[in-house]
Amino acid sequence: MAFLHDLVKDCIQFEQAFCTAKCPFNLDVRDFIGKIQQGRFNVAYKTYQYTVGFPGIVSALCHQPCREVCPMADNGGAISVRKLEAASISYARTREPDQYNMPTKPQRIAIVGGGISGLACALRLSTKKYNVTLFEKSDRIGGHLHGLMDSETLLEDIALQFKNEDYNLQLNTEIQDIATLPFDAVYVATGKDGNRFGLSLTDEGPYSTDRNGVFMGGSLTGANTMEAIAQGLNVSSAIEGYLKTGQMNHTEPLLHQTQLTYDAIRMIPAPAVAPANGVSFTREEALAEAKRCLRCTCDACVYYSPLMNHFQKFPRKITEDVEISINPSSLDGEATVATRLIAMCNHCGLCKEVCPKDIDVGEFLLQSHHTMREKGKMPWAFHEFYLRDMEFANSSAGLTRMPNGHDTCGYLFFPGCQMGASDPRMVMESYRFLLKTHPDTALMLGCCGAPADWAGNEPIHSEVIDRIRSDWKRLGEPTAILACTMCKQMFQRYLPEIKTEFIYTLLEQDGYTPKGNSNVAASIFDPCAARHEEQLQTHVRSIAQRAGYSLEPLPMERRLAECCSYGGQIGVAHPPYTRQIVERRIGQSENPYIAYCTNCRDIFAKAGKETVHILDIVFGLERRPQPTVSERQHNRLILKKQVLKEFWNEDMDMEKEKIKLSVSPGLKEKLDRDLILETDLMTVISHCESTGSKLFDPEKGTFTGHLQVGNMTFWVEYRATGNNEFELVNSYSHRMKIED
C-alpha cells in the first residue's frame, strides 16, 4: 500500500547484501545461494543465467569482488561464489536458454562492436525480439576475451545463449560514421581505445551520449570485462526506453552501494569448503559451501524481538498493518488487522536497541495503542484487570506520608505497586534501612501509572501522574528512591523534574552486608527496563557477589535484556504467547536466577524456576510461595497496615469480609491464571444471596449466579457451608453483558 510511516523510512530491511552491491551485475546472491542451499541447482542456474547473460564466460573470468566484502572472510573464509556459480552450471538439469514466443518488433537497433559488451546488448534486445544488427570490424566476435580464456569455450557459451535468438551479424565491417547508419538506436561498444566517433557521455542518463539515440559503454568507456558485460545488458533497457519515449534517461544505473552494516549481521564462523579435486565443487561440497553463507540482511529486530519473531513481520509490514487498523478502508470502517499485535508488545525496547537505525517499533505500537483506545477500537478486556488493580494500589492500598517527626524531607521512598504485593517484608526492610541512613525519607505506596500507559488510557494515566506530582511537591520535592526499574522509566518520561535514585545503589554505596549467603552459581536476570542502567546493573552484581554467589552471564543480559513477559501486560491479549516468552526466558540457563524486578522474580518462580529477588538476599528473607492475584491485593493492605503501625504508630482497620469463602488449592490456581479476584467472587455471592438471583442444582447441591463487576461479568458455582460461609465450586468470567 502507499502508506509508509515515517518510523520506517530509514529501515534497511531491503538493502542489498554486501556481495550484491559489489557485484558488477548486482546478482541477488541471497536468492541465488538460497536456492543452492535448498539443492535447487536448476533454478539457481536460471537466476544466474538471466542476470549475467553469459554464465559460462562470467563464471570463468569474474574477478570476484564479492570476496572483498564478504563478512565470512574473517570467520572461516569468504564464500566461494564463483565456484558456486560454476556448480549451478554443472548440476543444472539443462543449460538451454528459455525461448520466448513474442512477436517481432519493427524498431532497428545497430550495435557497433562485436566484443562482449556489444554481444550482451544484442542478446538482451534480440531476446525481446527487436531487429538487431551487430557490426564487427574483425572476422570474429568476442573481442579481447579471446586473450583471457579458451576461444572454443568462449564461442560455445555465446552460441548457446543466442540459440533461440535471431540477429544480423556483420563481420569484417568497420563503421566509419555512425551518422550514416539507418537505425532507430545505436550502441557503440568498440572496446578499449576503440573509435568513439566524436561522442561524449552526458549526465542525461546512464550510457547516454550527446547524440540523440546513440549510447556508449563497455571497455570503450573504461569498464573492466565484467562491467562491460553488465553495461551491455543494462543499456538494453535504456535503448528500449528511448524507443518508446524518445528520452535518453529511461534506465537506472546498477547500484553498487548498500546501507547494510556489518554490525547488523550475526556472524556464524564456519571453515571454507575446499574442493576435493582442487578445482570445482561436487554437488555435496557446493551444498556445504552454500550453507556457510549468512545471506546477509538486516533482520536483527525479527531475530531478537519476541513479538516480531512471533509474527515474522518487519517494521514496514507492522506499520502497514497498524495503519489499516487505525484508518481502515473496509466498508464498515471496523478493520482490526493489528489489534492483537498492538496489544502484545512488551515495550521492552529491545527492537530499538538492536536496530542499526534506532527504529523504535515498541514506541510506535504504544502510540498506536493510545490512538486505538481513543477511537474506541481497543478491546477493554485486554487491560480491565490491570487498570482495576492499579486503582486498588492507588486507593485502598495507597499511602503518602512525611517521615515521623519531620516537617520536610529530602528523600521519598517509592517502592512501586508490585513489591509490596509480592512480599510486604521487602518494602518494610527497605524502609527501615532508609530511615537509618536517611532519616528524612518519606514513603509513597502506589503505582507509577504504567498499566494505564500500556492500556493507552490517557485520562487515567494523566490522573495518576498528576497525583504523584502533586504529592511530591507537597512533600517538598524530594529525591525519589525507587526499587522498580519500570517506575524509573515512567518517572523519566512523565515526571522528569523528579530526581531519582535506586535503593540498590544506596545499599551498595553504604556497603550494606547482605544477610543472605550462598556459595552457588547463579545468573542475574536484568529487567528490560534496566537496559541502559549500567551503574545499577553493576551494583546488583556486586551485592550478589558479596553475598557469596558465583555469577555466570546469561546469553541476553544488560543492554540486550529481554522482557520477562510482564511488560505491556499482554497476558490477556495472547496467553499462549505469554507462556512461550516465559519458557524461553527461564530456559536460558540451568542456574537459579537473581532478579531485581519483582515481576521477573514472581513470574519465573510461578513457572517453576528457582528465582530470588536481590532484596531477599540483602535482608535474608526466606523463600516464599508465589502469591495469587488475590493474595497480592491482600498483601498490599497488610503492608499499609504494617507501615502505619510501625512508623507512625497508627492502627488501620481492615474492612472485614461480609462472607467467608473457602477455595480449594486447584481452584485458587485457576482463578489466579484467569485473573479472577476472590473479593469479586464474594461480591457476586453476596449479591446472589441478598437478591435471590441464583439457580439451585439439587443433584450437586450448588447455587449458580452471576454479576457484572466493572466491565466484566463473573459467574460462580458455590454451596453454603454455614452462616455466611460458602465453598466455591467453580467460577469463570467473560466480556458479555447479561441483559435481564
Side-chain angles (χ1 to χ4, degrees):
M1 61 184 293
F3 168 81
L4 188 62
H5 196 274
D6 285 344
L7 171 83
V8 295
K9 68 180 186 300
D10 296 325
C11 179
I12 56 176
Q13 173 194 355
F14 297 118
E15 283 294 306
Q16 296 185 115
F18 308 109
C19 47
T20 296
K22 198 71 172 177
C23 175
F25 303 92
N26 279 166
L27 173 67
D28 188 344
V29 179
R30 282 191 292 241
D31 178 57
F32 171 72
I33 290 188
K35 289 168 179 173
I36 293 183
Q37 288 175 345
Q38 298 170 355
R40 302 168 66 201
F41 285 92
N42 198 65
V43 290
Y45 170 73
K46 288 297 182 184
T47 296
Y48 181 57
Q49 179 188 41
Y50 179 79
T51 302
V52 304
F54 301 100
I57 295 171
V58 174
S59 66
L61 298 179
C62 183
H63 56 292
Q64 304 183 85
C66 53
R67 294 180 65 87
E68 301 170 10
V69 295
C70 179
M72 288 298 289
D74 297 325
N75 291 277
I79 303 299
S80 298
V81 178
R82 193 170 78 178
K83 284 187 173 64
L84 290 175
E85 293 166 351
S88 75
I89 298 173
S90 298
Y91 305 119
R93 288 195 306 273
T94 176
R95 293 176 55 198
E96 296 287 315
D98 292 330
Q99 186 170 5
Y100 300 99
N101 185 18
M102 294 189 295
T104 58
K105 297 181 175 66
Q107 293 94 334
R108 302 176 67 225
I109 301 159
I111 298 174
V112 182
I116 196 61
S117 188
L119 286 166
C121 181
L123 175 64
R124 198 63 98 220
L125 289 171
S126 61
T127 299
K128 296 181 179 181
K129 308 309 177 185
Y130 283 99
N131 189 334
V132 177
T133 299
L134 189 148
F135 298 96
E136 168 55 41
K137 69 177 182 179
S138 72
D139 61 354
R140 65 180 184 179
I141 56 175
H144 73 280
L145 265 62
H146 287 279
L148 300 178
M149 63 184 297
D150 176 66
S151 293
E152 184 177 346
T153 303
L154 167 66
L155 296 174
E156 181 182 284
D157 195 30
I158 294 172
L160 176 62
Q161 304 312 320
F162 276 101
K163 179 178 180 180
N164 299 320
E165 313 306 337
D166 291 324
Y167 74 106
N168 183 15
L169 175 60
Q170 299 288 324
L171 295 175
N172 301 307
T173 305
E174 184 173 3
I175 303 300
Q176 300 294 335
D177 184 0
I178 59 172
T180 63
L181 294 174
F183 290 85
D184 299 302
V186 178
Y187 177 49
V188 177
T190 53
K192 184 178 180 181
D193 301 325
N195 190 347
R196 299 176 70 98
F197 303 104
L199 298 170
S200 297
L201 292 173
T202 71
D203 57 5
E204 185 177 355
Y207 325 113
S208 64
T209 70
D210 49 6
R211 182 184 289 270
N212 198 41
V214 179
F215 299 82
M216 183 166 61
S219 302
L220 177 64
T221 58
N224 62 35
T225 301
M226 294 299 107
E227 291 169 345
I229 300 174
Q231 289 182 9
L233 296 170
N234 200 39
V235 75
S236 65
S237 297
I239 293 172
E240 191 170 25
Y242 168 75
L243 294 175
K244 292 178 179 179
T245 67
Q247 302 296 316
M248 299 279 284
N249 59 356
H250 274 262
T251 191
E252 293 294 328
L254 294 171
L255 296 176
H256 295 300
Q257 58 185 8
T258 180
Q259 293 187 60
L260 197 62
T261 64
Y262 289 101
D263 290 341
I265 309 303
R266 296 186 308 281
M267 299 300 175
I268 306 175
V273 177
N277 63 10
V279 178
S280 59
F281 286 142
T282 63
R283 189 184 189 92
E284 291 70 26
E285 289 170 342
L287 286 170
E289 178 67 2
K291 288 177 180 178
R292 293 180 59 241
C293 179
L294 303 174
R295 299 179 66 197
C296 298
T297 187
C298 186
D299 63 352
C301 55
V302 172
Y303 181 81
Y304 286 106
S305 164
L307 180 68
M308 286 188 267
N309 184 273
H310 177 80
F311 285 101
Q312 284 297 297
K313 290 183 178 180
F314 284 81
R316 291 177 186 272
K317 179 59 177 172
I318 287 176
T319 56
E320 291 176 0
D321 288 352
V322 169
E323 171 68 4
I324 293 172
S325 297
I326 293 177
N327 299 305
S329 57
S330 57
L331 292 177
D332 61 2
E334 296 296 329
T336 54
V337 173
T339 301
R340 194 174 299 275
L341 182 151
I342 293 171
M344 286 170 60
C345 181
N346 289 129
H347 308 297
C348 66
L350 184 57
C351 58
K352 180 183 179 183
E353 190 65 30
V354 299
C355 176
K357 295 295 183 178
D358 291 333
I359 296 174
D360 194 344
V361 175
E363 177 63 22
F364 170 72
L365 291 177
L366 179 63
Q367 296 307 317
S368 300
H369 203 138
H370 279 250
T371 302
M372 289 283 282
R373 190 263 169 193
E374 290 170 6
K375 288 175 172 279
K377 293 183 178 181
M378 187 58 68
W380 57 263
F382 287 171
H383 293 278
E384 168 81 357
F385 172 83
Y386 301 107
L387 291 176
R388 289 184 62 212
D389 188 59
M390 182 185 71
E391 169 60 23
F392 179 84
N394 285 334
S395 55
S396 300
L399 178 72
T400 300
R401 285 294 178 93
M402 190 75 75
N404 201 10
H406 290 260
D407 295 326
T408 61
C409 63
Y411 297 91
L412 165 66
F413 183 38
F414 189 93
C417 61
Q418 297 301 320
M419 181 172 285
S422 177
D423 188 343
R425 296 176 302 170
M426 287 198 290
V427 177
M428 293 293 292
E429 291 289 351
S430 297
Y431 195 45
R432 289 178 187 130
F433 162 76
L434 290 172
L435 289 178
K436 288 180 181 179
T437 57
H438 301 81
D440 60 338
T441 301
L443 178 66
M444 184 184 293
L445 300 180
C447 180
C448 65
D453 192 31
W454 290 334
N457 197 316
E458 182 61 31
I460 294 179
H461 181 254
S462 295
E463 182 181 324
V464 173
I465 295 299
D466 290 344
R467 178 190 59 78
I468 295 174
R469 181 182 289 111
S470 175
D471 286 350
W472 171 72
K473 288 183 176 180
R474 180 172 55 81
L475 292 170
E477 302 185 358
T479 296
I481 300 174
L482 308 176
C484 172
T485 54
M486 181 50 65
C487 291
K488 170 67 178 293
Q489 275 197 0
M490 290 293 112
F491 275 53
Q492 207 167 32
R493 179 166 184 160
Y494 299 108
L495 295 163
E497 65 270 31
I498 300 180
K499 182 181 178 182
T500 60
E501 292 274 5
F502 282 110
I503 187 170
Y504 315 104
T505 297
L506 298 181
L507 286 164
E508 176 67 7
Q509 291 174 347
D510 182 70
Y512 190 93
T513 302
K515 294 180 181 179
N517 193 281
S518 177
N519 293 315
V520 302
S523 296
I524 300 290
F525 188 92
D526 296 302
C528 56
R531 185 178 314 287
H532 299 128
E533 301 288 350
E534 295 182 11
Q535 184 184 62
L536 172 62
Q537 297 165 5
T538 300
H539 288 164
V540 169
R541 284 163 172 77
S542 175
I543 293 171
Q545 288 171 330
R546 285 195 287 111
Y549 284 91
S550 173
L551 299 181
E552 297 179 1
L554 291 174
M556 302 292 287
E557 62 173 21
R558 296 186 182 265
R559 78 172 190 86
L560 294 179
E562 297 177 306
C563 183
C564 64
S565 79
Y566 189 81
Q569 295 174 328
I570 65 172
V572 177
H574 202 309
Y577 170 69
T578 306
R579 290 193 293 270
Q580 182 185 79
I581 291 177
V582 176
E583 290 168 2
R584 289 181 177 177
R585 300 298 172 267
I586 64 179
Q588 289 189 48
S589 173
E590 295 182 356
N591 291 337
Y593 286 173
I594 299 173
Y596 48 107
C597 166
T598 304
N599 292 317
C600 295
R601 182 268 163 199
D602 289 354
I603 286 172
F604 295 157
K606 182 178 179 181
K609 179 70 173 179
E610 184 180 351
T611 309
V612 296
H613 195 283
I614 190 67
L615 293 183
D616 292 332
I617 297 171
V618 169
F619 300 121
L621 304 179
E622 70 273 9
R623 304 293 169 85
R624 60 189 184 279
Q626 169 63 22
T628 65
V629 291
S630 295
E631 291 165 345
R632 296 180 78 85
Q633 288 207 349
H634 184 69
N635 282 345
R636 291 192 185 116
L637 295 176
I638 293 295
L639 172 62
K640 182 177 180 179
K641 181 176 182 177
Q642 288 178 346
V643 297
L644 284 172
K645 183 63 177 177
E646 178 171 336
F647 303 115
W648 287 277
N649 196 28
E650 295 181 17
D651 291 319
M652 172 182 146
D653 292 329
M654 295 183 65
E655 183 179 350
K656 293 184 178 180
E657 302 294 349
K658 296 179 181 179
I659 66 173
K660 183 177 181 181
L661 186 64
S662 172
V663 185
S664 68
L667 188 51
K668 277 182 178 288
E669 184 178 337
K670 176 182 182 293
L671 298 180
D672 182 55
R673 183 176 62 250
D674 295 342
L675 302 179
I676 297 177
L677 296 171
E678 293 177 25
T679 51
D680 285 339
L681 302 185
M682 292 180 190
T683 300
V684 178
I685 293 174
S686 295
H687 168 77
C688 293
E689 290 297 303
S690 63
T691 63
S693 299
K694 56 184 179 179
L695 296 175
F696 180 67
D697 184 338
E699 293 185 4
K700 298 169 65 176
T702 60
F703 294 97
T704 300
H706 72 272
L707 179 67
Q708 183 174 326
V709 180
N711 291 312
M712 194 73 73
T713 298
F714 295 92
W715 287 82
V716 292
E717 181 183 0
Y718 65 97
R719 61 171 59 94
T721 58
N723 185 27
N724 286 329
E725 295 183 0
F726 302 91
E727 175 193 358
L728 185 67
V729 177
N730 200 1
S731 177
Y732 65 93
S733 62
H734 58 67
R735 309 182 206 177
M736 292 183 291
K737 183 177 181 180
I738 308 298
E739 297 287 351
D740 294 330

